[in-house]
Amino acid sequence: MVPALLCLLGCQLLGEALVQLTRAPVPGPVLGMLLLALWLGLVARGRIPAALGQTADVLLAHLSLLFVPAGVGVMLHLQRIAAEWLAIVAALVLSTLLAIAATAIAMRAVLRRLPPPADDSDGRDAHG
């Protein structure tokens, strides 16, 4: 489990370092996750090492604990949230709509690249 955690933290550290060096407008952990996905897809050929899979399962099982610091942060800034609620709601709605639109555009692009389904129209219905 320790080597797998070191792998995950190493990817995060590499992502953070790349963001600091390039001033990329992306959070370091996101870039680290992208690097991990590229490594798993290209180098490991989609096979997730057992230790990494088990460690990820443990982290996912306790994912709710990772939201405690964010919840505490929200509680500390309730006055600011109350003062800027309209901008927060507008940003949430707009970002949700943009995410849905981006997903739809990406899905259409992927579907265009897939081969069409085989045509089984030989004059009979599906039940023979």
Side-chain angles (χ1 to χ4, degrees):
M1 186 165 177
V2 172
L5 280 173
L6 288 175
C7 176
L8 294 173
L9 291 173
C11 287
Q12 181 178 353
L13 178 63
L14 187 56
E16 290 282 0
L18 286 173
V19 166
Q20 290 297 319
L21 290 173
T22 63
R23 299 284 184 222
V26 177
V30 172
L31 189 56
M33 191 174 4
L34 179 64
L35 292 171
L36 177 64
L38 287 173
W39 175 73
L40 287 173
L42 298 176
V43 177
R45 305 235 188 253
R47 292 184 304 269
I48 298 174
L52 189 59
Q54 291 170 348
T55 303
D57 288 341
V58 169
L59 288 173
L60 288 174
H62 298 91
L63 187 62
S64 60
L65 291 175
L66 300 176
F67 287 102
V68 171
V72 170
V74 167
M75 297 304 289
L76 289 175
H77 295 282
L78 282 179
Q79 288 180 338
R80 185 173 195 177
I81 291 171
E84 300 180 26
W85 71 269
L86 184 60
I88 294 170
V89 169
L92 286 172
V93 170
L94 184 62
S95 65
T96 300
L97 293 175
L98 287 174
I100 291 170
T103 303
I105 291 168
M107 187 67 184
R108 288 183 80 187
V110 168
L111 288 176
R112 281 192 201 127
R113 292 179 184 231
L114 291 177
D119 186 21
D120 290 336
S121 61
D122 57 358
R124 295 184 292 161
D125 65 0
H127 300 290

